[in-house]
Amino acid sequence: MTDISRRTGLAAATAALLTGAVPSASAAAPRRAPALQRHVDALHATGVTGVLAEVRGPHGRTAARAGGADLRAKDPVPWNAYYRIGSDTKTFTATLLLQLVGEGRLKLTDTVERWLPGAIRGHGNDGRRITVTNLLRQTSGLNDYVALGADPDDLTPEAYRRNRFRSQTPEEQLKAALSKPPQWLPDAGDPAGERRWSYSNTNYVVAGLLVEAVTGHPWAQELHERIIEPLGLRDTLTPGTSSYVPRPTATGYTYFPNGTRPVDTTLGFGGGADGCLISTPRDHGVFLRALLGGRLLRPAQLAAMKQTVPAQDWVSAAGVRYGLGIAWRPVAGRRDGIWFHGGTSLGCVSECGVTPDGTTAVTSAAFTLRLDSREQNEKQSRAALRMVDAVLGGGPGGGRSGARG
């Protein structure tokens, strides 16, 4: 559902996982690249049970895998396995709202109050001071409902098993976030110009509600009709309240605090517009290339997406700047850097990156989450980032300067 632990260092009870049974549309082994394989092996060596990564570019698809789909069966991770992409969902949700902006159906400067009257009130929270831009750029000051609900006592295998079939509505999540005063209120004179940044899943809960208010349709319907179907993302789905992930997949394992053994945390509720999507390396890569390649947004809206503010709390990488549902970071060998997001669920970490022109994208899933050790968590994160950077650093376009806002 979320990746708050990667963004702020909090080992919050993020959540959302699944498993299930639907045949994959692509089981054939793709072309393999030795360089990618080396980095996948290095990620696996940090203690990840199974890793799958794919690169999609102008000359086709290459992929690599390491480890097993399950610690008991010892089968390899399936090619094109389904997995929870977690907060990579936010890029999809931002794209939906920017499409509506391009159609003239709302403005980035519209307030939440304009579309959801009275939805953000109480304890000093004020929807009249929060715009669409603030939500998508994470500058609203709204508290993160995940962090507010994170109780260290809940980070146990027993608590996980009790709660893995429990779902929450967006309204319940928003209510939790509004139970305390906001971190700040954007400037009344220019709320959209706010540059204070703090990662909050609540922003994208509200963004999903905005999609529904503007269109009159469920967020999942708009996602399917505007992105999934046009791009042919046949293996991307919104699970709703289901706690299962389709097969083929790999077992997702979590090391809980004070634990010594990995726990199967594949089942679980995945949230909504802030982090619920299930996808595959192939589909996720197709989406990223289409987005940065200009196939999903008009030029003005794509440019707006790339207007960023510094994301000081992004602990897994240096120099990160956050735009509208997507982030930018510098990479050695590329003057224009790369665009990315990332997502974390119990038992699965999604890492990705795409060149500014959309030419090449790398997507990956690591089927292990470390909540037992910050050192191990950071070691895994660094290995995943090195893999992405090695694939996208330099190469065609590496000498251009990029729009960073």
Side-chain angles (χ1 to χ4, degrees):
M1 169 174 72
T2 68
D3 51 334
I4 190 68
S5 63
R6 288 158 38 97
R7 308 305 172 222
T8 66
L10 295 173
T14 55
L17 331 271
L18 306 48
T19 105
V22 174
S24 170
S26 178
R31 186 162 54 92
R32 299 176 66 184
L36 179 63
Q37 186 66 56
R38 286 195 297 273
H39 285 280
V40 166
D41 290 340
L43 178 53
H44 175 236
T46 67
V48 177
T49 57
V51 182
L52 179 64
E54 178 174 307
V55 180
R56 301 190 70 87
H59 303 298
R61 167 195 182 205
T62 60
R65 61 183 177 182
D70 187 274
L71 288 176
R72 292 168 296 181
K74 303 295 184 182
D75 293 327
V77 177
W79 295 116
N80 218 35
Y82 290 93
Y83 62 99
R84 301 175 190 279
I85 68 171
S87 281
D88 277 315
T89 302
K90 291 177 172 64
T91 310
F92 288 76
T93 298
T95 300
L96 288 181
L97 277 175
L98 285 166
Q99 286 181 344
L100 295 171
V101 170
E103 294 165 9
R105 300 177 68 177
L106 84 162
K107 298 177 182 178
L108 285 172
T109 53
D110 283 352
T111 64
V112 174
E113 183 73 12
R114 159 77 173 80
W115 292 99
L116 300 170
I120 298 182
R121 294 286 177 84
H123 297 97
N125 294 282
D126 190 349
R128 296 169 297 183
R129 297 270 291 272
I130 298 172
T131 68
V132 177
T133 292
N134 296 126
L135 295 175
L136 300 185
R137 195 176 283 153
Q138 307 272 17
T139 58
S140 72
L142 286 172
N143 287 302
D144 189 345
Y145 75 91
V146 175
L148 286 181
D151 185 342
D153 292 336
D154 288 338
L155 288 175
T156 65
E158 295 74 23
Y160 156 72
R161 293 188 182 100
R162 284 197 305 270
N163 297 320
R164 57 187 172 172
F165 288 102
R166 293 183 181 178
S167 61
Q168 291 180 309
T169 66
E171 291 76 16
E172 290 171 333
Q173 294 164 336
L174 182 56
K175 181 179 179 181
L178 300 179
S179 65
K180 292 186 177 181
Q183 301 171 74
W184 65 78
L185 282 174
D187 177 35
D190 181 24
E194 178 64 58
R195 298 185 68 81
R196 285 173 290 182
W197 184 91
S198 182
Y199 193 90
S200 174
N201 292 284
T202 308
N203 287 319
Y204 279 78
V205 172
V206 180
L209 292 173
L210 281 180
V211 170
E212 297 184 354
V214 174
T215 66
H217 301 142
W219 167 81
Q221 178 180 340
E222 290 295 319
L223 182 72
H224 183 87
E225 294 179 354
R226 290 174 171 272
I227 297 177
I228 292 176
E229 189 171 7
L231 292 182
L233 307 184
R234 58 187 179 271
D235 294 324
T236 298
L237 61 134
T238 57
T241 59
S242 172
S243 292
Y244 294 88
V245 172
R247 294 188 183 277
T249 187
T251 301
Y253 293 98
T254 297
Y255 285 83
F256 286 96
N258 303 316
T260 59
R261 299 169 63 88
V263 177
D264 180 349
T265 54
T266 312
L267 289 169
F269 171 65
D274 59 324
C276 78
L277 279 182
I278 296 171
S279 192
T280 62
R282 178 264 178 196
D283 276 16
H284 193 192
V286 168
F287 165 73
L288 291 173
R289 294 184 69 212
L291 176 62
L292 273 295
R295 293 174 54 196
L296 291 174
L297 295 176
R298 299 178 184 184
Q301 280 68 56
L302 184 57
M305 178 178 259
K306 293 181 176 182
Q307 295 300 307
T308 63
V309 295
Q312 300 95 333
D313 294 335
W314 202 290
V315 299
S316 60
V320 174
R321 301 179 64 89
Y322 202 91
L324 303 184
I326 199 167
W328 178 93
R329 73 169 183 265
V331 169
R334 294 197 68 96
R335 287 173 53 197
D336 50 1
I338 65 169
W339 294 91
F340 73 107
H341 200 284
T344 301
S345 303
L346 287 178
C348 188
V349 180
S350 170
E351 194 62 73
C352 67
V354 60
T355 54
D357 59 2
T359 299
T360 306
V362 56
T363 50
S364 69
F367 290 94
T368 302
L369 177 64
R370 302 298 297 249
L371 299 179
D372 60 327
S373 165
R374 174 169 293 190
E375 179 182 359
Q376 286 297 116
N377 182 283
E378 291 179 352
K379 185 183 297 184
Q380 178 178 328
S381 294
R382 288 194 297 268
L385 292 174
R386 282 195 297 267
M387 174 184 65
V388 173
D389 293 356
V391 172
L392 299 181
R400 297 192 300 273
S401 59
R404 303 199 313 237

